[in-house]
Amino acid sequence: KLANTKNVKIYSYLLNTYQSNSSNTNHHIFWFFSKLCKPKGGMVSLKPLLYNYEIFSAISKILNEPCHPTFRKDIERLKKFGRRIVRDFAEICAGDAMACVHLLFPSKPPTFYSQRKSKTKMKEKSELNEEKNFSC
């Protein structure tokens, strides 16, 4: 239910502000992304939802951050998670060079047949209306 691109995008924006987030918020971000990575009950892993530019830029910020004098467990958890996501994506890229291209240039999600059909009908109606206006 919660695993869709809209929610992943919202959580990735939250991840970009990890420094100003509370420990509880960072924990919930980590929990959400971890649940996407673990298939449950014969379901497919939704880890590919995490292979997008927003998340990789946030992970880059997290991994390049210098060590703090005050240890924050939530940030260390996000660093560990980020390393795992980058490592898994690198393994995919080793087998499929187009994966990097899809990360940089994401494709538009496919439209469903019913949406295309209704758009075609609307276009036909507008063309008929234009023909009627020209014939007068």
Side-chain angles (χ1 to χ4, degrees), residues 3 10 29 40 62 71 91 100 118 131:
I10 290 168
I29 295 168
K40 190 175 185 180
I62 293 169
F71 179 78
E91 289 174 5
C100 290
S118 64
E131 288 177 9

Side-chain angles (χ1 to χ4, degrees), residues 19-121:
Q19 291 173 328
S20 60
N21 293 343
S22 68
S23 294
N24 194 23
T25 303
N26 285 337
H27 172 73
H28 285 292
I29 295 168
F30 169 76
W31 178 84
F32 178 74
F33 287 154
S34 295
K35 289 293 180 185
L36 289 179
C37 294
K38 296 175 186 172
K40 190 175 185 180
M43 292 180 63
V44 183
S45 172
L46 299 174
K47 198 181 291 186
L49 283 174
L50 302 179
Y51 301 147
N52 63 54
Y53 180 77
E54 289 88 9
I55 291 180
F56 277 112
S57 77
I59 288 173
S60 175
K61 275 195 240 177
I62 293 169
L63 293 177
N64 291 325
E65 180 179 292
C67 296
H68 286 287
T70 57
F71 179 78
R72 284 186 59 184
K73 188 177 180 180
D74 58 324
I75 292 179
E76 290 303 314
R77 198 180 283 157
L78 289 174
K79 280 186 178 187
K80 185 177 177 181
F81 177 75
R83 284 190 295 267
R84 184 172 42 149
I85 292 296
V86 170
R87 183 178 43 241
D88 292 346
F89 186 69
E91 289 174 5
I92 289 172
C93 288
D96 181 16
M98 288 300 291
C100 290
V101 174
H102 288 295
L103 171 71
L104 295 172
F105 306 106
S107 61
K108 188 176 175 183
T111 56
F112 296 105
Y113 176 74
S114 60
Q115 290 174 340
R116 279 189 275 151
K117 191 175 181 181
S118 64
K119 286 181 183 179
T120 306
K121 284 184 179 180

